[in-house]
Amino acid sequence: MKFDYLFKNVTVIDGSGGAEYRADVAVQGERIAQIAPSISESAHHEIDGTGRVLAPGFIDVHTHDDINVIRMPEYLPKISQGITTVIVGNCGISAATATMKGAVPDPMNLLGDAAQFIYPTVAAYAEAVEQAKPAVNVGTLIGHTALRNNHMDDLFREATREEISAMREQLRLALQQGGLGLSTGLAYASAFHSTTEEVMALAEELAAGNGIYTTHLRSEFEPILEALDEAFRIGRHGKVPVVVSHHKCAGAKNWGRTVETLKLFDKVRQQQDVSCDCYPYSASSSTLDVKQITEDFDIIITWSQTHPEVAGQSLKQIAESWEMTLVEAGKRLMPAGAIYYNMDEQDVRRVLSYPVTMVGSDGLPNDPMPHPRLWGAFPRVLGHYSRDEKLFPLTVAVHKMTGMSAARFQLAERGLVKCGYYADLVMFDPETVRDVASFSHPQQPAAGIEAVMVNGVMSYGRDKKVIGRAGRFLRR
């Protein structure tokens, strides 16, 4: 028998968190066919992996790539990092199940304009993904804000019993069609007015469908412990696992408090299934929010509809040149996007190294000047934090990006280098892998990623070009 691909002499880090080992790995069709100390059978394509690591393709559990994987199916920002699967629909905003009656509310406008919201069901979204054949696999959460926008005439109030009932019905169908769970973005004005009881009612739909609850907390600032408590209560009520999105302690007055938040995680984990994801940077990125404007840290404007010429400048520079306060300048720039230097590096390290933290990029692909996490999050963990800073071993880094994530989101037969599993694989040089994307030049592919395979199809190589598109829609 002749294999399709044979990786020779690779160092296998299998995604389980276990020790690395030397082996040959053979791929036949879309699956890993054999793993052995030495494989003598021939292959159509033989790849010498001496000095290289072969790992499962990385799973980006926190993305806003919903529409981009369809519009730009080559999707270089992700495949170039070794990412083979993206989870979309985070922070309460999903393209799947969303229908627009008028202007797209904030923060759903991060995904695109009204003309691009054309997927009223998960089935419609799945079909669009399958037709586009993106370079990466795609699984979707169902956004709470999307559901609210479908069934409410005003997002700045509590939902009525009838509206909650309609949202539940739509969520139930979405889960039946393969949605992975429910996401909320309770910090955003368009969802902030929803009560805990509203979200609990929706969470009741998740257990029957084996779904998951992910949340951008109601606050990542001073009231963070109360916000975490709310998230955990919702999970307990729905009897479902909870993932806290991009866990951080934001705002200068909050720095250092991950000591407290992670202590709460430790306590709650004894009773229920809770975890989090995190991106490896001490700056965040989102739409410009007047509530977050402060003099405590730098805020860089990435885009502005009213004043596109100021992109790349700090809010402070803009306010000074206009001779007005930061808040006045912020209001004049709206709608706009911003990078907030609002975290403490020690907090980032603490969260990233916490045992149940997964890696997610939270990149914003439609930002003209995106945060470098869009292109660099995963190689930054491998190179900067694992190799250079020695925050944790490479086996742990890979586990946080693969096996842990696949198990958490129930992605069957993915996330491990294991016989019979789908051949989602990345080969990289552990000595040179690093993020090249920077805040000033964010759109740059990583160094050291040498081969990326998706469903057995070689999709990206050393010349930094997409050479295959074999991504699929992944149902729960």
Side-chain angles (χ1 to χ4, degrees), residues 69-368:
V69 287
I70 296 168
R71 281 179 49 233
M72 313 182 315
E74 292 212 323
Y75 221 43
L76 194 59
K78 294 300 169 75
I79 193 88
S80 65
Q81 292 181 62
I83 292 166
T84 56
T85 296
V86 297
I87 306 292
V88 303
N90 282 280
C91 297
I93 58 179
S94 63
T97 72
T99 43
M100 293 298 151
K101 297 179 277 287
V104 184
D106 184 270
M108 292 194 68
N109 53 5
L110 289 172
L111 301 185
D113 56 35
Q116 290 161 352
F117 286 88
I118 50 174
Y119 315 107
T121 61
V122 168
Y125 180 74
E127 190 183 334
V129 170
E130 294 285 0
Q131 282 184 353
K133 272 192 101 74
V136 294
N137 300 309
V138 182
T140 188
L141 295 158
I142 310 307
H144 169 230
T145 303
L147 295 172
R148 294 188 105 229
N149 191 55
N150 291 347
H151 298 286
M152 295 174 69
D153 56 5
D154 175 12
L155 296 174
F156 304 99
R157 62 168 172 81
E158 295 176 17
T160 64
R161 191 178 303 166
E162 292 73 26
E163 287 163 344
I164 292 171
S165 177
M167 286 191 260
R168 285 184 69 152
E169 199 173 315
Q170 190 173 19
L171 177 60
R172 196 177 313 141
L173 176 66
L175 293 165
Q176 285 164 4
Q177 292 180 353
L180 300 172
L182 174 73
S183 78
T184 56
L186 299 176
Y188 292 103
S190 46
F192 190 77
H193 296 276
S194 60
T195 61
T196 306
E197 289 68 32
E198 176 185 323
V199 185
M200 281 178 167
L202 292 172
E204 287 171 14
E205 297 295 334
L206 297 172
N210 236 352
I212 193 168
Y213 175 61
T214 76
T215 179
H216 177 148
L217 297 171
R218 207 175 281 272
S219 177
E220 297 176 323
F221 291 81
E222 279 82 346
I224 189 162
L225 292 176
E226 293 82 351
L228 281 168
D229 181 64
E230 178 187 40
F232 300 151
R233 275 190 295 137
I234 290 164
R236 275 199 302 278
H237 179 82
K239 302 183 180 61
V240 289
V242 177
V243 176
V244 175
S245 297
H246 43 59
H247 182 40
K248 65 174 85 72
C249 286
K253 295 183 184 70
N254 227 17
W255 290 348
R257 290 190 66 205
T258 53
V259 173
E260 296 170 58
T261 63
L262 296 177
K263 199 176 276 181
L264 180 59
F265 268 90
D266 284 340
K267 187 178 155 197
V268 172
R269 277 172 62 205
Q270 293 168 20
Q271 271 82 47
Q272 68 184 111
D273 187 353
V274 301
S275 59
C276 64
D277 67 61
C278 161
Y279 49 83
Y281 300 84
S282 57
S284 70
S285 177
S286 188
T287 48
L288 182 62
D289 176 7
V290 176
K291 294 204 306 265
Q292 290 192 46
I293 291 176
T294 175
E295 292 187 339
D296 292 345
F297 49 78
D298 280 345
I299 299 170
I300 307 296
I301 300 303
T302 56
W303 60 271
S304 163
Q305 261 179 29
T306 52
H307 291 276
E309 73 282 357
V310 303
Q313 292 180 37
S314 75
L315 183 60
K316 196 174 181 187
Q317 287 172 309
I318 297 162
E320 282 170 2
S321 70
W322 289 350
E323 296 180 347
M324 52 176 67
T325 67
L326 293 177
V327 171
E328 286 166 350
K331 286 179 175 169
R332 191 168 157 187
L333 291 165
M334 306 281 263
I339 288 171
Y340 304 87
Y341 287 83
N342 59 0
M343 285 174 266
D344 176 58
E345 175 64 20
Q346 289 310 313
D347 282 329
V348 175
R349 288 166 183 249
R350 232 174 258 128
V351 173
L352 197 54
S353 53
Y354 189 65
V356 294
T357 300
M358 299 169 286
V359 178
S361 70
D362 196 16
L364 303 178
N366 298 317
D367 220 323

